[in-house]
Amino acid sequence: MNRIITISREFGSGGRTIGKKVAEQLGIPCYDEELINRLAEASGMSEDFVKENSEYTVSGNWFANALAGRNMYGHSPQDDLWRIQSKIIYELAEKGPCVIVGRCADYLLRGKADCLTVFIHADPEFRAKRIVEVYGEREEAPLKRVKDKDKRRKAYYQFYTDSTWGDAENYHIALDSGVLGIDTCVDLIKRLY
């Protein structure tokens, strides 16, 4: 059975960066942007649509998401993405050791792969500052953007997994990147792997 690291993360916490660094140092692939490309290709949907709908709900309201964009059979384009995304994640886990960032991989691979499940979080002010410095985001108040993205990510996770995103019992380890720093998080994950 292949050893997989799944990285769930709060928006702006550096989880993507941590995942890429861990994979690079372990010499294994990291799937994040590559997942978006594969999803877009397999679904026929644009990369922008996939990026915004394969990890986030339309709103932070679970009930509104249950009704959003459903056809007469009760399916939405987001449901189609979920099915395709699940299949791709299973295939990647079977292919070999890797790091998978986000997209409920921790839940999808539970009991199906040898996983080290990680949750990366940080103080909202640290994350707001980081999205401005690292991503150059200035469209709206950074703190509001961080909270909105987390709310939508949490609603997505709950909707498709019936579990609570960020709940410690869903992960082997939770790391505060704002306190520990990116490099310490990378070192800890590598040692646990």
PDB file of all heavy atoms in Angstrom, residues 114-151:
ATOM      1  N   ASP A 114      -2.653   4.098   3.024  1.00  0.00           N
ATOM      2  CA  ASP A 114      -1.848   4.381   4.205  1.00  0.00           C
ATOM      3  C   ASP A 114      -1.583   5.879   4.207  1.00  0.00           C
ATOM      4  O   ASP A 114      -0.688   6.356   3.508  1.00  0.00           O
ATOM      5  CB  ASP A 114      -0.543   3.576   4.135  1.00  0.00           C
ATOM      6  CG  ASP A 114       0.358   3.838   5.331  1.00  0.00           C
ATOM      7  OD1 ASP A 114      -0.118   4.417   6.332  1.00  0.00           O
ATOM      8  OD2 ASP A 114       1.547   3.490   5.242  1.00  0.00           O
ATOM      9  N   CYS A 115      -2.414   6.607   4.940  1.00  0.00           N
ATOM     10  CA  CYS A 115      -2.359   8.074   4.898  1.00  0.00           C
ATOM     11  C   CYS A 115      -1.827   8.680   6.186  1.00  0.00           C
ATOM     12  O   CYS A 115      -2.126   8.196   7.281  1.00  0.00           O
ATOM     13  CB  CYS A 115      -3.756   8.649   4.691  1.00  0.00           C
ATOM     14  SG  CYS A 115      -4.332   8.549   3.023  1.00  0.00           S
ATOM     15  N   LEU A 116      -1.083   9.755   6.002  1.00  0.00           N
ATOM     16  CA  LEU A 116      -0.761  10.661   7.087  1.00  0.00           C
ATOM     17  C   LEU A 116      -1.611  11.891   6.799  1.00  0.00           C
ATOM     18  O   LEU A 116      -1.391  12.583   5.794  1.00  0.00           O
ATOM     19  CB  LEU A 116       0.729  11.010   7.100  1.00  0.00           C
ATOM     20  CG  LEU A 116       1.142  12.128   8.067  1.00  0.00           C
ATOM     21  CD1 LEU A 116       0.843  11.732   9.515  1.00  0.00           C
ATOM     22  CD2 LEU A 116       2.619  12.462   7.880  1.00  0.00           C
ATOM     23  N   THR A 117      -2.620  12.135   7.622  1.00  0.00           N
ATOM     24  CA  THR A 117      -3.532  13.257   7.376  1.00  0.00           C
ATOM     25  C   THR A 117      -3.118  14.454   8.231  1.00  0.00           C
ATOM     26  O   THR A 117      -2.952  14.337   9.446  1.00  0.00           O
ATOM     27  CB  THR A 117      -4.996  12.868   7.671  1.00  0.00           C
ATOM     28  OG1 THR A 117      -5.100  12.392   9.011  1.00  0.00           O
ATOM     29  CG2 THR A 117      -5.462  11.770   6.715  1.00  0.00           C
ATOM     30  N   VAL A 118      -2.960  15.594   7.575  1.00  0.00           N
ATOM     31  CA  VAL A 118      -2.436  16.798   8.211  1.00  0.00           C
ATOM     32  C   VAL A 118      -3.420  17.946   8.009  1.00  0.00           C
ATOM     33  O   VAL A 118      -3.990  18.092   6.928  1.00  0.00           O
ATOM     34  CB  VAL A 118      -1.072  17.178   7.583  1.00  0.00           C
ATOM     35  CG1 VAL A 118      -0.511  18.440   8.221  1.00  0.00           C
ATOM     36  CG2 VAL A 118      -0.082  16.023   7.674  1.00  0.00           C
ATOM     37  N   PHE A 119      -3.587  18.760   9.043  1.00  0.00           N
ATOM     38  CA  PHE A 119      -4.382  19.985   8.918  1.00  0.00           C
ATOM     39  C   PHE A 119      -3.480  21.151   9.279  1.00  0.00           C
ATOM     40  O   PHE A 119      -2.886  21.185  10.362  1.00  0.00           O
ATOM     41  CB  PHE A 119      -5.609  19.964   9.843  1.00  0.00           C
ATOM     42  CG  PHE A 119      -6.545  21.111   9.605  1.00  0.00           C
ATOM     43  CD1 PHE A 119      -7.439  21.079   8.555  1.00  0.00           C
ATOM     44  CD2 PHE A 119      -6.510  22.237  10.414  1.00  0.00           C
ATOM     45  CE1 PHE A 119      -8.299  22.150   8.305  1.00  0.00           C
ATOM     46  CE2 PHE A 119      -7.369  23.305  10.182  1.00  0.00           C
ATOM     47  CZ  PHE A 119      -8.257  23.261   9.127  1.00  0.00           C
ATOM     48  N   ILE A 120      -3.357  22.112   8.379  1.00  0.00           N
ATOM     49  CA  ILE A 120      -2.532  23.303   8.589  1.00  0.00           C
ATOM     50  C   ILE A 120      -3.458  24.482   8.872  1.00  0.00           C
ATOM     51  O   ILE A 120      -4.383  24.750   8.110  1.00  0.00           O
ATOM     52  CB  ILE A 120      -1.657  23.624   7.350  1.00  0.00           C
ATOM     53  CG1 ILE A 120      -0.814  22.425   6.934  1.00  0.00           C
ATOM     54  CG2 ILE A 120      -0.792  24.856   7.613  1.00  0.00           C
ATOM     55  CD1 ILE A 120       0.251  21.997   7.900  1.00  0.00           C
ATOM     56  N   HIS A 121      -3.199  25.151   9.973  1.00  0.00           N
ATOM     57  CA  HIS A 121      -4.017  26.308  10.345  1.00  0.00           C
ATOM     58  C   HIS A 121      -3.108  27.422  10.860  1.00  0.00           C
ATOM     59  O   HIS A 121      -1.910  27.198  11.068  1.00  0.00           O
ATOM     60  CB  HIS A 121      -5.063  25.916  11.412  1.00  0.00           C
ATOM     61  CG  HIS A 121      -4.436  25.447  12.689  1.00  0.00           C
ATOM     62  ND1 HIS A 121      -4.271  26.271  13.770  1.00  0.00           N
ATOM     63  CD2 HIS A 121      -3.925  24.242  13.045  1.00  0.00           C
ATOM     64  CE1 HIS A 121      -3.682  25.592  14.752  1.00  0.00           C
ATOM     65  NE2 HIS A 121      -3.460  24.357  14.334  1.00  0.00           N
ATOM     66  N   ALA A 122      -3.668  28.586  11.049  1.00  0.00           N
ATOM     67  CA  ALA A 122      -2.929  29.721  11.609  1.00  0.00           C
ATOM     68  C   ALA A 122      -3.929  30.800  12.016  1.00  0.00           C
ATOM     69  O   ALA A 122      -5.089  30.770  11.602  1.00  0.00           O
ATOM     70  CB  ALA A 122      -1.927  30.274  10.596  1.00  0.00           C
ATOM     71  N   ASP A 123      -3.458  31.716  12.777  1.00  0.00           N
ATOM     72  CA  ASP A 123      -4.248  32.851  13.222  1.00  0.00           C
ATOM     73  C   ASP A 123      -4.760  33.626  11.993  1.00  0.00           C
ATOM     74  O   ASP A 123      -4.022  33.796  11.021  1.00  0.00           O
ATOM     75  CB  ASP A 123      -3.324  33.739  14.069  1.00  0.00           C
ATOM     76  CG  ASP A 123      -4.004  34.987  14.552  1.00  0.00           C
ATOM     77  OD1 ASP A 123      -4.707  34.913  15.574  1.00  0.00           O
ATOM     78  OD2 ASP A 123      -3.837  36.039  13.891  1.00  0.00           O
ATOM     79  N   PRO A 124      -6.023  34.086  12.024  1.00  0.00           N
ATOM     80  CA  PRO A 124      -6.573  34.804  10.860  1.00  0.00           C
ATOM     81  C   PRO A 124      -5.755  36.020  10.420  1.00  0.00           C
ATOM     82  O   PRO A 124      -5.616  36.273   9.227  1.00  0.00           O
ATOM     83  CB  PRO A 124      -7.973  35.223  11.316  1.00  0.00           C
ATOM     84  CG  PRO A 124      -8.340  34.239  12.367  1.00  0.00           C
ATOM     85  CD  PRO A 124      -7.053  33.889  13.060  1.00  0.00           C
ATOM     86  N   GLU A 125      -5.198  36.761  11.361  1.00  0.00           N
ATOM     87  CA  GLU A 125      -4.409  37.940  11.000  1.00  0.00           C
ATOM     88  C   GLU A 125      -3.134  37.533  10.257  1.00  0.00           C
ATOM     89  O   GLU A 125      -2.722  38.183   9.298  1.00  0.00           O
ATOM     90  CB  GLU A 125      -4.059  38.778  12.239  1.00  0.00           C
ATOM     91  CG  GLU A 125      -5.215  39.605  12.765  1.00  0.00           C
ATOM     92  CD  GLU A 125      -6.261  38.799  13.538  1.00  0.00           C
ATOM     93  OE1 GLU A 125      -5.934  37.688  14.034  1.00  0.00           O
ATOM     94  OE2 GLU A 125      -7.409  39.259  13.626  1.00  0.00           O
ATOM     95  N   PHE A 126      -2.499  36.446  10.704  1.00  0.00           N
ATOM     96  CA  PHE A 126      -1.310  35.928  10.022  1.00  0.00           C
ATOM     97  C   PHE A 126      -1.666  35.547   8.591  1.00  0.00           C
ATOM     98  O   PHE A 126      -0.954  35.874   7.638  1.00  0.00           O
ATOM     99  CB  PHE A 126      -0.759  34.705  10.779  1.00  0.00           C
ATOM    100  CG  PHE A 126       0.290  33.935  10.018  1.00  0.00           C
ATOM    101  CD1 PHE A 126       1.619  34.316  10.073  1.00  0.00           C
ATOM    102  CD2 PHE A 126      -0.053  32.814   9.256  1.00  0.00           C
ATOM    103  CE1 PHE A 126       2.592  33.609   9.372  1.00  0.00           C
ATOM    104  CE2 PHE A 126       0.908  32.109   8.557  1.00  0.00           C
ATOM    105  CZ  PHE A 126       2.242  32.505   8.609  1.00  0.00           C
ATOM    106  N   ARG A 127      -2.801  34.861   8.409  1.00  0.00           N
ATOM    107  CA  ARG A 127      -3.215  34.404   7.085  1.00  0.00           C
ATOM    108  C   ARG A 127      -3.586  35.578   6.184  1.00  0.00           C
ATOM    109  O   ARG A 127      -3.266  35.590   5.004  1.00  0.00           O
ATOM    110  CB  ARG A 127      -4.360  33.395   7.206  1.00  0.00           C
ATOM    111  CG  ARG A 127      -3.885  32.132   7.914  1.00  0.00           C
ATOM    112  CD  ARG A 127      -4.919  31.034   7.989  1.00  0.00           C
ATOM    113  NE  ARG A 127      -6.023  31.364   8.868  1.00  0.00           N
ATOM    114  CZ  ARG A 127      -7.309  31.317   8.522  1.00  0.00           C
ATOM    115  NH1 ARG A 127      -7.670  30.937   7.313  1.00  0.00           N
ATOM    116  NH2 ARG A 127      -8.243  31.618   9.380  1.00  0.00           N
ATOM    117  N   ALA A 128      -4.268  36.571   6.744  1.00  0.00           N
ATOM    118  CA  ALA A 128      -4.644  37.755   5.956  1.00  0.00           C
ATOM    119  C   ALA A 128      -3.398  38.486   5.471  1.00  0.00           C
ATOM    120  O   ALA A 128      -3.311  38.882   4.301  1.00  0.00           O
ATOM    121  CB  ALA A 128      -5.521  38.681   6.793  1.00  0.00           C
ATOM    122  N   LYS A 129      -2.425  38.629   6.338  1.00  0.00           N
ATOM    123  CA  LYS A 129      -1.168  39.284   5.967  1.00  0.00           C
ATOM    124  C   LYS A 129      -0.452  38.463   4.894  1.00  0.00           C
ATOM    125  O   LYS A 129       0.078  39.010   3.927  1.00  0.00           O
ATOM    126  CB  LYS A 129      -0.283  39.427   7.210  1.00  0.00           C
ATOM    127  CG  LYS A 129       1.015  40.124   6.958  1.00  0.00           C
ATOM    128  CD  LYS A 129       1.818  40.256   8.254  1.00  0.00           C
ATOM    129  CE  LYS A 129       3.148  40.922   7.922  1.00  0.00           C
ATOM    130  NZ  LYS A 129       4.173  40.636   8.878  1.00  0.00           N
ATOM    131  N   ARG A 130      -0.471  37.145   5.048  1.00  0.00           N
ATOM    132  CA  ARG A 130       0.224  36.260   4.120  1.00  0.00           C
ATOM    133  C   ARG A 130      -0.402  36.304   2.715  1.00  0.00           C
ATOM    134  O   ARG A 130       0.317  36.304   1.718  1.00  0.00           O
ATOM    135  CB  ARG A 130       0.216  34.830   4.655  1.00  0.00           C
ATOM    136  CG  ARG A 130       1.116  33.903   3.888  1.00  0.00           C
ATOM    137  CD  ARG A 130       1.245  32.535   4.568  1.00  0.00           C
ATOM    138  NE  ARG A 130       2.128  31.714   3.775  1.00  0.00           N
ATOM    139  CZ  ARG A 130       1.772  31.108   2.644  1.00  0.00           C
ATOM    140  NH1 ARG A 130       0.533  31.221   2.191  1.00  0.00           N
ATOM    141  NH2 ARG A 130       2.636  30.385   1.963  1.00  0.00           N
ATOM    142  N   ILE A 131      -1.731  36.343   2.612  1.00  0.00           N
ATOM    143  CA  ILE A 131      -2.342  36.353   1.265  1.00  0.00           C
ATOM    144  C   ILE A 131      -2.034  37.653   0.525  1.00  0.00           C
ATOM    145  O   ILE A 131      -1.973  37.660  -0.694  1.00  0.00           O
ATOM    146  CB  ILE A 131      -3.869  36.055   1.257  1.00  0.00           C
ATOM    147  CG1 ILE A 131      -4.678  37.162   1.908  1.00  0.00           C
ATOM    148  CG2 ILE A 131      -4.160  34.696   1.881  1.00  0.00           C
ATOM    149  CD1 ILE A 131      -6.170  37.054   1.661  1.00  0.00           C
ATOM    150  N   VAL A 132      -1.810  38.729   1.264  1.00  0.00           N
ATOM    151  CA  VAL A 132      -1.418  39.986   0.628  1.00  0.00           C
ATOM    152  C   VAL A 132       0.049  39.897   0.192  1.00  0.00           C
ATOM    153  O   VAL A 132       0.388  40.227  -0.940  1.00  0.00           O
ATOM    154  CB  VAL A 132      -1.637  41.185   1.576  1.00  0.00           C
ATOM    155  CG1 VAL A 132      -0.997  42.449   1.023  1.00  0.00           C
ATOM    156  CG2 VAL A 132      -3.118  41.405   1.823  1.00  0.00           C
ATOM    157  N   GLU A 133       0.917  39.414   1.081  1.00  0.00           N
ATOM    158  CA  GLU A 133       2.356  39.359   0.790  1.00  0.00           C
ATOM    159  C   GLU A 133       2.713  38.294  -0.246  1.00  0.00           C
ATOM    160  O   GLU A 133       3.519  38.534  -1.134  1.00  0.00           O
ATOM    161  CB  GLU A 133       3.148  39.100   2.078  1.00  0.00           C
ATOM    162  CG  GLU A 133       3.124  40.274   3.029  1.00  0.00           C
ATOM    163  CD  GLU A 133       3.781  39.971   4.366  1.00  0.00           C
ATOM    164  OE1 GLU A 133       4.207  38.816   4.602  1.00  0.00           O
ATOM    165  OE2 GLU A 133       3.873  40.903   5.189  1.00  0.00           O
ATOM    166  N   VAL A 134       2.126  37.110  -0.130  1.00  0.00           N
ATOM    167  CA  VAL A 134       2.498  35.999  -1.001  1.00  0.00           C
ATOM    168  C   VAL A 134       1.687  35.978  -2.292  1.00  0.00           C
ATOM    169  O   VAL A 134       2.225  35.776  -3.372  1.00  0.00           O
ATOM    170  CB  VAL A 134       2.371  34.644  -0.259  1.00  0.00           C
ATOM    171  CG1 VAL A 134       2.665  33.475  -1.175  1.00  0.00           C
ATOM    172  CG2 VAL A 134       3.289  34.614   0.959  1.00  0.00           C
ATOM    173  N   TYR A 135       0.371  36.178  -2.186  1.00  0.00           N
ATOM    174  CA  TYR A 135      -0.492  36.089  -3.360  1.00  0.00           C
ATOM    175  C   TYR A 135      -0.788  37.441  -3.985  1.00  0.00           C
ATOM    176  O   TYR A 135      -1.377  37.517  -5.053  1.00  0.00           O
ATOM    177  CB  TYR A 135      -1.832  35.421  -3.010  1.00  0.00           C
ATOM    178  CG  TYR A 135      -1.727  34.087  -2.340  1.00  0.00           C
ATOM    179  CD1 TYR A 135      -2.540  33.771  -1.257  1.00  0.00           C
ATOM    180  CD2 TYR A 135      -0.834  33.117  -2.775  1.00  0.00           C
ATOM    181  CE1 TYR A 135      -2.452  32.527  -0.634  1.00  0.00           C
ATOM    182  CE2 TYR A 135      -0.741  31.883  -2.157  1.00  0.00           C
ATOM    183  CZ  TYR A 135      -1.552  31.595  -1.088  1.00  0.00           C
ATOM    184  OH  TYR A 135      -1.465  30.383  -0.473  1.00  0.00           O
ATOM    185  N   GLY A 136      -0.433  38.524  -3.284  1.00  0.00           N
ATOM    186  CA  GLY A 136      -0.704  39.859  -3.809  1.00  0.00           C
ATOM    187  C   GLY A 136      -2.183  40.208  -3.835  1.00  0.00           C
ATOM    188  O   GLY A 136      -2.614  41.058  -4.588  1.00  0.00           O
ATOM    189  N   GLU A 137      -2.981  39.542  -3.007  1.00  0.00           N
ATOM    190  CA  GLU A 137      -4.434  39.769  -3.009  1.00  0.00           C
ATOM    191  C   GLU A 137      -4.770  41.075  -2.303  1.00  0.00           C
ATOM    192  O   GLU A 137      -4.347  41.314  -1.186  1.00  0.00           O
ATOM    193  CB  GLU A 137      -5.150  38.601  -2.325  1.00  0.00           C
ATOM    194  CG  GLU A 137      -4.993  37.324  -3.097  1.00  0.00           C
ATOM    195  CD  GLU A 137      -6.155  36.379  -2.904  1.00  0.00           C
ATOM    196  OE1 GLU A 137      -7.216  36.805  -2.428  1.00  0.00           O
ATOM    197  OE2 GLU A 137      -5.981  35.211  -3.250  1.00  0.00           O
ATOM    198  N   ARG A 138      -5.551  41.902  -2.998  1.00  0.00           N
ATOM    199  CA  ARG A 138      -5.965  43.177  -2.411  1.00  0.00           C
ATOM    200  C   ARG A 138      -7.377  43.560  -2.826  1.00  0.00           C
ATOM    201  O   ARG A 138      -7.824  44.650  -2.562  1.00  0.00           O
ATOM    202  CB  ARG A 138      -4.993  44.274  -2.823  1.00  0.00           C
ATOM    203  CG  ARG A 138      -3.631  44.124  -2.180  1.00  0.00           C
ATOM    204  CD  ARG A 138      -2.743  45.301  -2.510  1.00  0.00           C
ATOM    205  NE  ARG A 138      -1.510  45.251  -1.756  1.00  0.00           N
ATOM    206  CZ  ARG A 138      -0.453  44.518  -2.084  1.00  0.00           C
ATOM    207  NH1 ARG A 138      -0.489  43.774  -3.161  1.00  0.00           N
ATOM    208  NH2 ARG A 138       0.645  44.535  -1.367  1.00  0.00           N
ATOM    209  N   GLU A 139      -8.081  42.643  -3.494  1.00  0.00           N
ATOM    210  CA  GLU A 139      -9.409  42.950  -4.027  1.00  0.00           C
ATOM    211  C   GLU A 139     -10.389  43.387  -2.946  1.00  0.00           C
ATOM    212  O   GLU A 139     -11.168  44.295  -3.137  1.00  0.00           O
ATOM    213  CB  GLU A 139      -9.984  41.728  -4.748  1.00  0.00           C
ATOM    214  CG  GLU A 139      -9.225  41.361  -5.993  1.00  0.00           C
ATOM    215  CD  GLU A 139      -9.683  40.039  -6.566  1.00  0.00           C
ATOM    216  OE1 GLU A 139     -10.747  39.540  -6.168  1.00  0.00           O
ATOM    217  OE2 GLU A 139      -8.961  39.506  -7.412  1.00  0.00           O
ATOM    218  N   GLU A 140     -10.372  42.705  -1.832  1.00  0.00           N
ATOM    219  CA  GLU A 140     -11.262  43.063  -0.723  1.00  0.00           C
ATOM    220  C   GLU A 140     -10.465  42.956   0.555  1.00  0.00           C
ATOM    221  O   GLU A 140      -9.305  42.560   0.528  1.00  0.00           O
ATOM    222  CB  GLU A 140     -12.483  42.134  -0.702  1.00  0.00           C
ATOM    223  CG  GLU A 140     -12.136  40.660  -0.568  1.00  0.00           C
ATOM    224  CD  GLU A 140     -13.360  39.761  -0.552  1.00  0.00           C
ATOM    225  OE1 GLU A 140     -13.986  39.671   0.506  1.00  0.00           O
ATOM    226  OE2 GLU A 140     -13.655  39.165  -1.578  1.00  0.00           O
ATOM    227  N   ALA A 141     -11.057  43.288   1.653  1.00  0.00           N
ATOM    228  CA  ALA A 141     -10.356  43.203   2.929  1.00  0.00           C
ATOM    229  C   ALA A 141      -9.815  41.781   3.112  1.00  0.00           C
ATOM    230  O   ALA A 141     -10.584  40.821   3.076  1.00  0.00           O
ATOM    231  CB  ALA A 141     -11.316  43.563   4.057  1.00  0.00           C
ATOM    232  N   PRO A 142      -8.492  41.626   3.272  1.00  0.00           N
ATOM    233  CA  PRO A 142      -7.895  40.291   3.356  1.00  0.00           C
ATOM    234  C   PRO A 142      -8.489  39.418   4.469  1.00  0.00           C
ATOM    235  O   PRO A 142      -8.700  38.224   4.267  1.00  0.00           O
ATOM    236  CB  PRO A 142      -6.418  40.568   3.614  1.00  0.00           C
ATOM    237  CG  PRO A 142      -6.190  41.953   3.148  1.00  0.00           C
ATOM    238  CD  PRO A 142      -7.493  42.673   3.323  1.00  0.00           C
ATOM    239  N   LEU A 143      -8.771  40.005   5.617  1.00  0.00           N
ATOM    240  CA  LEU A 143      -9.339  39.215   6.719  1.00  0.00           C
ATOM    241  C   LEU A 143     -10.719  38.686   6.343  1.00  0.00           C
ATOM    242  O   LEU A 143     -11.048  37.527   6.615  1.00  0.00           O
ATOM    243  CB  LEU A 143      -9.404  40.071   7.992  1.00  0.00           C
ATOM    244  CG  LEU A 143      -9.639  39.328   9.290  1.00  0.00           C
ATOM    245  CD1 LEU A 143      -8.600  38.229   9.514  1.00  0.00           C
ATOM    246  CD2 LEU A 143      -9.612  40.294  10.470  1.00  0.00           C
ATOM    247  N   LYS A 144     -11.512  39.504   5.667  1.00  0.00           N
ATOM    248  CA  LYS A 144     -12.840  39.070   5.217  1.00  0.00           C
ATOM    249  C   LYS A 144     -12.698  37.941   4.193  1.00  0.00           C
ATOM    250  O   LYS A 144     -13.435  36.962   4.227  1.00  0.00           O
ATOM    251  CB  LYS A 144     -13.602  40.249   4.607  1.00  0.00           C
ATOM    252  CG  LYS A 144     -14.996  39.890   4.111  1.00  0.00           C
ATOM    253  CD  LYS A 144     -15.643  41.084   3.424  1.00  0.00           C
ATOM    254  CE  LYS A 144     -17.022  40.817   2.903  1.00  0.00           C
ATOM    255  NZ  LYS A 144     -17.175  39.609   2.124  1.00  0.00           N
ATOM    256  N   ARG A 145     -11.745  38.061   3.289  1.00  0.00           N
ATOM    257  CA  ARG A 145     -11.521  37.037   2.260  1.00  0.00           C
ATOM    258  C   ARG A 145     -11.111  35.704   2.897  1.00  0.00           C
ATOM    259  O   ARG A 145     -11.598  34.652   2.498  1.00  0.00           O
ATOM    260  CB  ARG A 145     -10.457  37.517   1.277  1.00  0.00           C
ATOM    261  CG  ARG A 145     -10.229  36.544   0.151  1.00  0.00           C
ATOM    262  CD  ARG A 145      -9.742  37.270  -1.085  1.00  0.00           C
ATOM    263  NE  ARG A 145      -9.200  36.378  -2.089  1.00  0.00           N
ATOM    264  CZ  ARG A 145      -9.928  35.600  -2.877  1.00  0.00           C
ATOM    265  NH1 ARG A 145     -11.238  35.613  -2.790  1.00  0.00           N
ATOM    266  NH2 ARG A 145      -9.352  34.819  -3.759  1.00  0.00           N
ATOM    267  N   VAL A 146     -10.231  35.753   3.878  1.00  0.00           N
ATOM    268  CA  VAL A 146      -9.790  34.545   4.591  1.00  0.00           C
ATOM    269  C   VAL A 146     -10.993  33.862   5.236  1.00  0.00           C
ATOM    270  O   VAL A 146     -11.188  32.650   5.097  1.00  0.00           O
ATOM    271  CB  VAL A 146      -8.712  34.912   5.650  1.00  0.00           C
ATOM    272  CG1 VAL A 146      -8.563  33.832   6.697  1.00  0.00           C
ATOM    273  CG2 VAL A 146      -7.379  35.187   4.982  1.00  0.00           C
ATOM    274  N   LYS A 147     -11.807  34.638   5.929  1.00  0.00           N
ATOM    275  CA  LYS A 147     -12.969  34.061   6.623  1.00  0.00           C
ATOM    276  C   LYS A 147     -13.990  33.493   5.639  1.00  0.00           C
ATOM    277  O   LYS A 147     -14.557  32.433   5.861  1.00  0.00           O
ATOM    278  CB  LYS A 147     -13.605  35.103   7.542  1.00  0.00           C
ATOM    279  CG  LYS A 147     -12.747  35.398   8.760  1.00  0.00           C
ATOM    280  CD  LYS A 147     -13.351  36.444   9.670  1.00  0.00           C
ATOM    281  CE  LYS A 147     -12.436  36.678  10.853  1.00  0.00           C
ATOM    282  NZ  LYS A 147     -12.913  37.705  11.748  1.00  0.00           N
ATOM    283  N   ASP A 148     -14.214  34.200   4.523  1.00  0.00           N
ATOM    284  CA  ASP A 148     -15.164  33.725   3.516  1.00  0.00           C
ATOM    285  C   ASP A 148     -14.695  32.415   2.875  1.00  0.00           C
ATOM    286  O   ASP A 148     -15.464  31.474   2.740  1.00  0.00           O
ATOM    287  CB  ASP A 148     -15.376  34.792   2.434  1.00  0.00           C
ATOM    288  CG  ASP A 148     -16.318  34.300   1.342  1.00  0.00           C
ATOM    289  OD1 ASP A 148     -17.475  33.938   1.669  1.00  0.00           O
ATOM    290  OD2 ASP A 148     -15.902  34.248   0.161  1.00  0.00           O
ATOM    291  N   LYS A 149     -13.418  32.363   2.480  1.00  0.00           N
ATOM    292  CA  LYS A 149     -12.880  31.138   1.859  1.00  0.00           C
ATOM    293  C   LYS A 149     -12.976  29.961   2.827  1.00  0.00           C
ATOM    294  O   LYS A 149     -13.346  28.858   2.430  1.00  0.00           O
ATOM    295  CB  LYS A 149     -11.425  31.342   1.444  1.00  0.00           C
ATOM    296  CG  LYS A 149     -11.267  32.202   0.218  1.00  0.00           C
ATOM    297  CD  LYS A 149     -11.313  31.348  -1.017  1.00  0.00           C
ATOM    298  CE  LYS A 149     -10.727  32.080  -2.197  1.00  0.00           C
ATOM    299  NZ  LYS A 149     -10.710  31.277  -3.393  1.00  0.00           N
ATOM    300  N   ASP A 150     -12.625  30.184   4.092  1.00  0.00           N
ATOM    301  CA  ASP A 150     -12.701  29.103   5.090  1.00  0.00           C
ATOM    302  C   ASP A 150     -14.138  28.638   5.294  1.00  0.00           C
ATOM    303  O   ASP A 150     -14.403  27.442   5.390  1.00  0.00           O
ATOM    304  CB  ASP A 150     -12.126  29.552   6.431  1.00  0.00           C
ATOM    305  CG  ASP A 150     -10.618  29.581   6.451  1.00  0.00           C
ATOM    306  OD1 ASP A 150      -9.976  29.063   5.509  1.00  0.00           O
ATOM    307  OD2 ASP A 150     -10.063  30.125   7.421  1.00  0.00           O
ATOM    308  N   LYS A 151     -15.062  29.583   5.324  1.00  0.00           N
ATOM    309  CA  LYS A 151     -16.470  29.245   5.513  1.00  0.00           C
ATOM    310  C   LYS A 151     -16.976  28.378   4.359  1.00  0.00           C
ATOM    311  O   LYS A 151     -17.663  27.377   4.559  1.00  0.00           O
ATOM    312  CB  LYS A 151     -17.292  30.535   5.625  1.00  0.00           C
ATOM    313  CG  LYS A 151     -18.734  30.339   5.981  1.00  0.00           C
ATOM    314  CD  LYS A 151     -19.413  31.701   6.154  1.00  0.00           C
ATOM    315  CE  LYS A 151     -20.856  31.550   6.543  1.00  0.00           C
ATOM    316  NZ  LYS A 151     -21.531  32.837   6.682  1.00  0.00           N
TER     317      LYS A 151
END
